[in-house]
Each structure stands twice: as structure tokens, then as C-alpha cells.
Amino acid sequence: MRTEDVLAAVGCGLWQWDWSTGTLSADARTARLLGLPGVAATHSYAAVRACFHATDYVAFAADLAMARSEGAVAESRLRVVDGDGVVLRTVLIRVRPQGRILNGTVHEVRGLPGSAAARDWRRSREAFLLDAGRALAEADSTAEVLRVAATLSMPGFSPEGLAVFSRDGDRLVLVGHQGQKLPPTFPLEFPVEGGYPAARVIRTGRAVYLTSPEEYQENYAETWPVVKVFGRSSWAFLPLTVAGKTIGVWMAAFRDSVEFTADERSVLTTVARMLVQALTRAHVHESERALSDGLQRQMMPAREPGIEGMAVAARYVPTGGGLQVGGDWYDVIGLPSGRTAIVIGDVQGHDVEAAGLMGQLRIALRAYAAEGHRPDAVLSRTSRFLAGLSEGVLRDEVRFATCLYLEVDPATGALDVVRAGHPEPAVRLGDGTTIVRRTDGGLPLGVEPDSDYPTTRLTLEPGEVVLLCTDGLIETGGHDLETGWHRLCAVFEAGPADDLEALADSLLRAVHGPASYHTTGPLADRREDDIALVLLRRDPDGPTCAVPIRRTVLTVPQSDPGRIGSAREDVRALLHDWVSADQLESAVLLVSEMVTNVLVHTEGDAVLTAEVTGVPGTRRLHVEVGDRSDDMPHRRSPGEMASSGRGLLLMEELADSWGVDPRGDGKSIWFELYED
């Protein structure tokens, strides 16, 4: 009697699944049991899958994957449904994988797939796997993956010890472990051809299950002496496979005896697949982080910045994605004159090309500065250098860079500032008041090779702190320049000026959350741009800073009358805590009138100096605007419709005192307000 006749007599059908083509060949009986046309034929994978209840098929696919990995027989009960989802019958399918061909049988059985207890176990398994997948997806290092795996509570059984091995040539190396501490004599690597269960898994690509110490000792006597000290009762060694290649082994050890039923093996196999994906991601992440750290170390100053008579703190925070490298940088350069240059810049982009270009710019700028050029000449030469790099190179876009170059004279506190499209510096005065200093600037580096960069001179008084930063610190979190500076100034004013390291961390916390510039934190998703910042404080000179002076100096050129608005903003910042709001508005009005008069009635620039002295409640505001014209202002009697001529009338009405002082090269008009 033929085998086919025997199978037909017991109502059993035959089928063959070709994994490479995704087709299933079924005899007539199998076709009828599955609700397909009752003739022997070849069907597509999608047509066969539609014959089964979705929940049952998911469990069957997991059993099938485990059977393929172990070379074992898979057995599952599945409900057959029609096109409307109505259950027609329940069938029992057995399948044995043979390479990419799966041969199996199918016959009808009574009842639903499994008992109520079995169905509950499957639901528990599905919930566990969902939770395991979520937890492993969040792990970003090998140690974190192992820690997560050790805390997973598997349905019905949980391993007490975990280990991951990887292949390194002809050796099997222990990558990491969780559980009991390893004894000093425990080997951290094994020969691939040796008698260790993990070595066999690496060689064959198939899991090894050991249900008892006796079974372990009988099959792997060579390594039993180093394993028995852990006091475990059962072990599972599963392959970690990527793209058909076994790259490592996951071991799960149990204190209580485990039989490793089909369901338990299915859970372990699924966890092993999730583990290899998580470990692969972690390895890529760790490699990228190592590369990122190396690039950052090479592109930042080799030593901590330091200037005699000054305190300096600096930070670089990479962007949160990819290789975590970008185009932001800072540098501190000793100059031949004995002064020190502080440079901060930002190359367009957040990729390896931006980081490489930044490295070239940093070297070129340092070389030009070391030659002794003035700040404006340093940036002009650097701009030509960057423009030259783009000539004859095929790129989707021309790269440019913003930069701020600041030359410091520690003896006098003089700061020569040159900007190339970069955010302006902010200065925290001795009493905590913060002003964004308006400085002249030019185009970003590389945009126009022959650009000029005007120099602005500021003076840093004892106890004052200047903040230099890239736009990432200002704009991260959806801010524009105005709202971003408002956020930073509040933090800058409240932070500890005597501890620049803590002040730098507080500025980063305002943007990112955690006060760390090496590790990510709960708000790391807000890292939309990399950040560089430098803080510079002139050391206080004795008790003169007990009653600090607020001072701002600003030049309003004839070519840029819009700078009058900056003058008004600086005065508002100086008087932010002035008692009388009316006096504040009067001061802003008078400053606007004085500066405008210089631009309208002379041919030179207006130089504004504003100073607040005294203690709160009895302070004095002194404002003067100088120009190079010898023509003295005089009182006029403007008509009702006149658009000018009221400047001195406003002085008499609003100022507590005022006057005009001739100078050797021009004149200065001034007024004072007394706080009351």
C-alpha cells in the first residue's frame, strides 16, 4: 500500500512550501481542508494565509520560525475561516523544514486551537513580547541591552543569568553578562571548535537546550567544572543571526529546572531575534559615539582655555542625531602680541562634511591669527580661504560659516570684536543686568571672498561676564533670535557669575534639560542643532565692585540708522529695574531724539554712552551722545505742524539736568535722571 493511500484513509493531506518563491503546493485533500478549490495545485503565500484565523497564523509563524532555526518539527492548531471570517473547521498542521523547502501534513481535528489555559498563556506571551520589544528598542548600549534582558519577566519562567558571546576569528568572546559575578578563574573566551555549548551554536547556527545539570555534564564535560559553580539547573543557548549569518550566541541560565516546551522555546527564540536587533543597533550607536567623541576631541582645543586675569568656561554639545558631529566650534589662541583671541563659529550643516570643513577652518584661522594679523584681517583671510575651497568642487550647495573673533587685552579688559554673520555677544554687568551688545558685522565667511569686517571695541569691566554662543543655544526649542535671547538672558542674569562652569551648565539646562554635555537626557529630542558656547569673566579688582556700575557704549553710524532701535533697547536693558516707569520711557525718548539729531544734522556717526551708578532707589542715569560736529544746538520755536526742533524743549521738560559740552574734536550733549 502506498503512503498516499494510507494518508488518504486517515483524512490527512500533504503540502510543500517553497520558502524561496513564496508558493505552497497542496494536494486535493489539503486544498479542501483549507477552503481552497479542491484540486491539487500551487497557491500563493497570500492566498494560503487568508485561509487561517489571523491570531492562529501569528502563533504558527512563530512556531515555524523556531522550527527552521532548530531543524525541528513544528506543530500547530489553526482555525480555517471563509471570506467573511466565519470559522469552518480546525486543522492540525505538522511541518519539518528542509533548507528552504517545508514539507508538512494537515488533517482536521475537533475543538478550538488549544485549551483555555493554552490560549491564556499565548496572550500572556504576546503581552510580554510587546513589552520586551518596547524596552529593548530604548536600549542604546550593549550593557543597557543586557540589563533590560535581565529584567524581563518571561511568562512562567525567568532566567537568572544572561550572557552574550560574539565570534572573533577562531575564538568565542564574552561580550557582556548579567547575574552572578564571574569568578576570577572563569574564562572570558573559548575556542570556536571547543566543547562549549555556545561554540556549538556558533558552528551550527542551531539552538542548544540543556534541561538538567546531568545533561550538561554528559554532553559538555570539558566546560562543566567552570559552570557548575553558578548552581544553575537549565540552560538555553540561542543563535544571534543577522542576514543568515550567526554573529553571536545568547545564553539564558535558570536556577529552577525548565523543560523547554515548544511554547517556551518559541518565547526564547523570539527574544533572541529581538536581542540581536537591539545589540546590532547598540553596536552601531556605540561605534558612532566613539567616532563622534574622537572627532570632537580632535576639533576642540587640546587644553582647557585659560587667560591670565580672566576666567573662561566653554562647552560643545553635539546634535542629537546621526554621528553627533556638526560644524560648531570654539578655540582659544595665544597671540604674538601677548593678547588672547577667542573664536566661536558655526559651519553650515550637521554632517561629517560640515565637521571636516570646520576642522580646516579652525586650522586656517589659527594660522592667520598666529601670524599677528588684526582681527578684521584674520576673518577676511579666512573668508577667502573658505571661498577657495568651494572653487571647482561639485557640491549641491556652497558651504558658508558664521564666526565671531574676539581679541582680549587682559590688562585693560578691552575686547576687539569682529563678526561674520554670527550672533552678537551678551554681557552680564556687575549687578547681573544683561545686555546683548550691538556690534558691527559682515557677511558669513565664504559668501563673498573680498568681504570687509569692521571692528567694534568694547570694555569688559571687573566682574562682568561676556557670553559667546552659536545659534543652537539661542534657537533650540522653536525660538527665534528675539525670544531665544529673552530666555537665555533670564538664565544668564540669575546664574552664579563667580562659577562659570555652573553658569555654563545652567544655560544648557535651559535648552536641553540635563546639565551634561557628554550624555543625553530626557529632553534630548530637543537637540535640533549643535551648540558651542564660551563664557569669559574679568576678575573683580577688590571692593570697587561692591556697588557695580552699569555702562553701555554704542556707535550708531550714518549708514545704519536702524541701529537707533538698538540704542533704545540698550537703555531699556540698563533700566530694567528702575523704580519709575515714566522715567524709563522718558530716557528712551530722549536717547532716540539725541541720536536722531546727530544723524540728521551732522555728517558723522553718533556715539552713545549710558551709565547707571549708585544703589537701587537713589541711582543716577547719565547719558551722553557725542559727534564730531562743532555746530552747537540752539533753542528753536517750532510751529504746531513742525516735524523737528523740539529736542531741547524735551530735555528741559523731562531731564533732571542736561547740558552740552564742547570737545576738541566735536561736542557731547548729555542728560541725567535721578531715581525717585
Side-chain angles (χ1 to χ4, degrees):
M1 180 177 290
R2 297 182 308 162
T3 302
E4 290 81 355
D5 296 332
V6 174
L7 292 173
V10 297
C12 190
L14 296 173
W15 59 274
Q16 185 178 79
W17 190 347
D18 188 339
W19 198 269
S20 60
T21 63
T23 58
L24 185 140
S25 300
D27 63 10
R29 180 169 296 278
T30 297
R32 286 193 294 271
L33 288 173
L34 300 186
L36 297 169
V39 294
T42 298
H43 305 274
S44 68
Y45 164 78
V48 175
R49 178 170 183 170
C51 298
F52 299 114
H53 192 283
T55 302
D56 299 345
Y57 188 83
V58 171
F60 170 62
D63 294 340
L64 193 59
M66 182 184 67
R68 291 190 68 213
S69 66
E70 298 179 5
V73 175
E75 180 178 292
S76 294
R77 293 190 178 207
L78 297 94
R79 286 168 287 183
V80 178
V81 298
D82 61 14
D84 297 325
V86 177
V87 177
L88 301 177
R89 63 186 64 85
T90 300
V91 296
L92 177 66
I93 292 181
R94 291 189 178 90
V95 58
R96 175 181 289 278
Q98 294 178 333
R100 302 190 69 82
I101 302 297
L102 311 178
N103 295 307
T105 63
V106 56
H107 67 276
E108 186 174 2
V109 295
R110 295 184 179 277
L112 295 175
S115 63
R119 291 194 296 274
D120 289 343
W121 193 93
R122 287 182 183 273
R123 283 193 291 269
S124 175
R125 181 187 69 176
E126 291 168 2
F128 159 73
L129 293 177
L130 285 173
D131 182 65
R134 177 197 58 77
L136 289 172
E138 296 175 357
D140 63 352
S141 67
T142 300
E144 182 67 10
V145 170
L146 292 176
R147 187 195 66 77
V148 170
T151 59
L152 296 176
S153 180
M154 300 185 185
F157 67 111
S158 294
E160 189 183 64
L162 299 174
V164 172
F165 302 88
S166 68
R167 183 168 187 166
D168 183 10
D170 60 351
R171 309 293 294 176
L172 191 65
V173 180
L174 179 65
V175 176
H177 71 283
Q178 285 283 335
Q180 290 179 248
K181 184 178 180 180
L182 297 179
T185 57
F186 188 86
L188 300 181
E189 57 181 45
F190 302 87
V192 170
E193 301 299 329
Y196 188 61
R200 179 181 176 184
V201 174
I202 279 285
R203 294 194 303 268
T204 64
R206 293 184 175 180
V208 171
Y209 297 99
L210 302 170
T211 59
S212 66
E214 292 75 20
E215 184 179 2
Y216 195 119
Q217 185 176 8
E218 180 181 350
N219 291 280
Y220 303 96
E222 179 182 342
T223 55
W224 171 247
V226 298
V227 173
K228 68 178 181 180
V229 297
F230 294 103
R232 309 280 167 64
S233 299
S234 299
W235 298 261
F237 295 83
L238 296 104
L240 300 175
T241 305
V242 176
K245 181 181 179 181
T246 302
I247 63 170
V249 179
W250 174 48
M251 183 211 74
F254 303 84
R255 179 165 294 279
D256 299 324
S257 179
V258 179
E259 293 299 322
F260 298 116
T261 63
D263 285 332
E264 291 168 342
R265 293 201 307 274
S266 176
V267 169
L268 290 169
T269 301
T270 304
V271 172
R273 285 199 295 270
M274 290 191 293
L275 269 177
V276 72
Q277 294 173 359
L279 288 168
T280 301
R281 288 195 305 270
H283 177 70
V284 172
H285 184 79
E286 289 169 343
S287 299
E288 290 180 346
R289 188 157 49 200
L291 176 59
S292 173
D293 290 343
L295 285 172
Q296 292 170 31
R297 284 194 299 271
Q298 291 298 318
M299 294 178 180
M300 292 296 111
R303 60 182 178 83
E304 287 296 319
I307 304 174
E308 185 178 357
M310 302 274 188
V312 184
R315 295 289 188 273
Y316 172 73
V317 183
T319 183
L323 284 179
Q324 295 190 343
V325 293
D328 290 17
W329 90 96
Y330 68 88
D331 205 352
V332 179
I333 308 168
L335 301 177
S337 63
R339 293 187 171 193
T340 301
I342 297 178
V343 187
I344 190 165
D346 181 2
V347 175
Q348 176 195 16
H350 313 110
D351 51 21
V352 174
E353 184 178 355
L357 195 59
M358 176 266 283
Q360 292 176 289
L361 270 184
R362 177 173 172 266
I363 293 171
L365 195 149
R366 175 176 276 268
Y368 294 138
E371 290 176 351
H373 297 294
R374 295 289 302 164
D376 56 333
V378 171
L379 285 199
S380 294
R381 285 167 167 75
T382 306
S383 183
R384 283 195 292 271
F385 171 81
L386 179 57
L389 291 179
S390 302
E391 293 179 0
V393 179
L394 295 178
R395 287 195 180 98
D396 294 336
E397 57 181 351
V398 176
R399 298 279 181 135
F400 62 85
T402 67
C403 183
L404 187 149
Y405 183 98
L406 183 150
E407 188 173 298
V408 185
D409 184 349
T412 64
L415 309 177
D416 289 339
V417 182
V418 183
R419 287 191 309 115
H422 200 82
E424 294 177 290
V427 177
R428 170 175 163 161
L429 305 181
D431 66 348
T433 301
T434 296
I435 298 176
V436 178
R437 290 293 192 187
R438 308 302 170 182
T439 57
D440 295 327
L443 293 172
L445 303 177
V447 174
E448 176 57 52
D450 296 323
S451 293
D452 292 326
Y453 296 96
T455 302
T456 301
R457 170 158 290 192
L458 306 175
T459 299
L460 196 64
E461 300 293 341
E464 293 183 346
V465 183
V466 62
L467 164 64
L468 313 178
C469 66
T470 55
D471 58 358
L473 186 68
I474 303 170
E475 297 177 349
T476 291
H479 289 269
D480 57 22
L481 282 175
E482 181 178 354
T483 61
W485 271 123
H486 181 74
R487 171 184 59 175
L488 287 179
C489 287
V491 179
F492 196 27
E493 291 177 356
D498 57 344
D499 186 349
L500 294 190
E501 298 294 332
L503 182 57
D505 286 338
S506 67
L507 289 168
L508 292 179
R509 273 197 301 270
V511 176
H512 287 162
S516 170
Y517 46 96
H518 289 304
T519 60
T520 58
L523 298 182
D525 57 316
R526 292 175 60 185
R527 294 189 179 183
E528 303 149 4
D529 196 0
D530 46 344
I531 291 172
L533 74 89
V534 179
L535 294 171
L536 174 69
R537 185 190 70 235
R538 187 180 180 192
D539 290 339
D541 292 335
T544 58
C545 289
V547 182
I549 299 174
R550 298 181 188 175
R551 181 184 294 111
T552 184
V553 179
L554 179 68
T555 299
V556 181
Q558 286 280 349
S559 59
D560 187 12
R563 190 68 67 85
I564 296 175
S566 300
R568 290 193 292 262
E569 292 174 11
D570 282 5
V571 172
R572 287 188 184 276
L574 279 181
L575 303 180
H576 70 95
D577 58 352
W578 198 264
V579 172
S580 172
D582 290 340
Q583 283 188 315
L584 187 153
E585 295 301 329
S586 297
V588 171
L589 175 60
L590 292 177
V591 165
S592 182
E593 180 72 17
M594 292 163 66
V595 174
T596 301
N597 282 341
V598 171
L599 299 185
V600 171
H601 298 295
T602 75
E603 297 180 355
D605 301 337
V607 179
L608 167 71
T609 303
E611 183 178 272
V612 176
T613 56
V615 296
T618 60
R619 291 174 293 189
R620 183 191 69 170
L621 169 68
H622 178 87
V623 177
E624 65 178 59
V625 175
D627 62 72
R628 293 183 178 274
S629 172
D630 294 328
D631 295 335
M632 303 297 286
H634 56 276
R635 189 186 305 276
R636 299 169 61 185
S637 301
E640 183 177 345
M641 302 299 294
S643 59
S644 62
R646 297 183 175 85
L648 297 185
L649 295 177
L650 288 174
M651 287 284 195
E652 290 183 346
E653 184 67 25
L654 300 178
D656 291 322
S657 61
W658 68 278
V660 180
D661 296 333
R663 301 281 177 84
D665 56 350
K667 64 180 181 300
S668 172
I669 183 169
W670 58 269
F671 74 87
E672 290 183 347
L673 292 176
Y674 308 118
E675 189 175 26
D676 52 28

